[in-house]
Amino acid sequence: MNTPRGINLLGRDDSVDFGLIMRLHIARLETESIIEKYSDVLWEEIGCIPGEYEIKIDKSIEPVVHAPRPVPVAIREQLQAELKHLDKCNSIA
Protein backbone atom coordinates (compact mmCIF):
# COMPACT_ATOMS: atom_id res chain seq x y z
CA MET A 1 0.00 0.00 0.00
CA ASN A 2 1.37 3.40 -0.92
CA THR A 3 0.81 6.33 1.43
CA PRO A 4 0.89 9.86 0.03
CA ARG A 5 3.85 11.95 1.09
CA GLY A 6 3.29 14.59 3.72
CA ILE A 7 0.93 12.51 5.87
CA ASN A 8 2.10 12.16 9.46
CA LEU A 9 1.52 8.72 10.89
CA LEU A 10 2.25 9.88 14.45
CA GLY A 11 1.30 13.20 15.97
CA ARG A 12 3.23 15.05 18.67
CA ASP A 13 1.30 13.48 21.55
CA ASP A 14 1.81 9.94 20.21
CA SER A 15 5.52 10.61 19.63
CA VAL A 16 5.88 11.78 23.25
CA ASP A 17 3.88 8.77 24.53
CA PHE A 18 6.12 6.34 22.62
CA GLY A 19 9.26 8.09 23.88
CA LEU A 20 10.36 9.14 20.38
CA ILE A 21 10.62 12.79 21.36
CA MET A 22 10.87 14.61 24.66
CA ARG A 23 9.78 18.17 25.45
CA LEU A 24 12.28 20.05 27.58
CA HIS A 25 11.55 23.25 29.49
CA ILE A 26 14.99 24.18 30.81
CA ALA A 27 15.89 27.30 28.83
CA ARG A 28 15.12 29.53 31.78
CA LEU A 29 17.47 27.58 34.06
CA GLU A 30 20.25 27.80 31.50
CA THR A 31 19.79 31.56 31.15
CA GLU A 32 19.99 32.09 34.90
CA SER A 33 23.12 29.94 35.18
CA ILE A 34 24.80 31.84 32.32
CA ILE A 35 24.03 35.19 33.96
CA GLU A 36 25.39 33.89 37.27
CA LYS A 37 28.51 32.43 35.63
CA TYR A 38 29.35 35.65 33.77
CA SER A 39 28.12 38.14 36.38
CA ASP A 40 31.45 40.00 36.19
CA VAL A 41 30.64 41.21 32.65
CA LEU A 42 26.82 41.29 32.81
CA TRP A 43 24.87 43.83 34.81
CA GLU A 44 21.24 44.68 35.50
CA GLU A 45 21.03 47.13 32.63
CA ILE A 46 21.99 44.54 30.02
CA GLY A 47 20.97 45.66 26.55
CA CYS A 48 21.38 49.40 27.26
CA ILE A 49 24.22 51.23 25.60
CA PRO A 50 25.10 54.65 26.97
CA GLY A 51 25.29 57.60 24.61
CA GLU A 52 23.74 58.33 21.24
CA TYR A 53 24.24 56.36 18.05
CA GLU A 54 23.28 56.94 14.44
CA ILE A 55 21.72 54.17 12.38
CA LYS A 56 22.54 54.59 8.70
CA ILE A 57 19.79 53.47 6.31
CA ASP A 58 20.29 52.77 2.62
CA LYS A 59 17.31 54.56 1.02
CA SER A 60 17.66 52.53 -2.20
CA ILE A 61 16.49 49.37 -0.39
CA GLU A 62 12.74 48.71 -0.43
CA PRO A 63 11.35 48.20 3.11
CA VAL A 64 9.77 44.83 3.90
CA VAL A 65 6.81 44.37 6.23
CA HIS A 66 6.23 40.96 7.81
CA ALA A 67 3.10 39.88 9.66
CA PRO A 68 3.59 39.58 13.43
CA ARG A 69 4.13 36.03 14.65
CA PRO A 70 2.20 34.67 17.60
CA VAL A 71 4.08 34.28 20.88
CA PRO A 72 3.99 30.72 22.27
CA VAL A 73 2.02 30.47 25.51
CA ALA A 74 4.99 28.80 27.23
CA ILE A 75 7.14 31.96 26.99
CA ARG A 76 4.56 34.78 27.24
CA GLU A 77 5.31 35.61 30.90
CA GLN A 78 9.05 35.58 30.25
CA LEU A 79 8.55 37.83 27.20
CA GLN A 80 6.42 40.29 29.17
CA ALA A 81 9.07 40.49 31.89
CA GLU A 82 11.79 41.13 29.30
CA LEU A 83 9.72 43.81 27.55
CA LYS A 84 9.12 45.56 30.89
CA HIS A 85 12.85 45.38 31.63
CA LEU A 86 13.72 46.85 28.21
CA ASP A 87 11.12 49.58 28.68
CA LYS A 88 12.61 50.42 32.09
CA CYS A 89 16.09 50.42 30.56
CA ASN A 90 14.94 52.84 27.84
CA SER A 91 13.34 55.22 30.34
CA ILE A 92 16.62 55.50 32.27
CA ALA A 93 18.61 56.67 29.24
Side-chain angles (χ1 to χ4, degrees), residues 5-73:
R5 291 180 181 225
I7 294 179
N8 295 324
L9 297 177
L10 293 175
R12 181 188 64 208
D13 294 337
D14 294 327
S15 298
V16 170
D17 291 344
F18 287 122
L20 300 174
I21 62 172
M22 185 183 329
R23 296 190 56 103
L24 301 175
H25 302 284
I26 59 171
R28 186 175 201 171
L29 296 175
E30 290 177 5
T31 303
E32 290 170 359
S33 65
I34 289 171
I35 291 172
E36 186 177 308
K37 183 176 180 180
Y38 297 104
S39 63
D40 58 326
V41 293
L42 298 175
W43 56 93
E44 190 174 317
E45 305 301 324
I46 190 167
C48 294
I49 301 172
E52 292 184 20
Y53 296 89
E54 180 182 341
I55 298 174
K56 296 181 181 177
I57 299 173
D58 185 351
K59 299 209 186 250
S60 67
I61 305 294
E62 184 77 22
V64 178
V65 176
H66 295 282
R69 296 183 183 187
V71 176
V73 174

Side-chain angles (χ1 to χ4, degrees), residues 64-85:
V64 178
V65 176
H66 295 282
R69 296 183 183 187
V71 176
V73 174
I75 64 168
R76 283 187 186 163
E77 286 183 26
Q78 192 176 2
L79 175 65
Q80 278 188 326
E82 181 63 17
L83 290 173
K84 286 180 182 177
H85 173 74

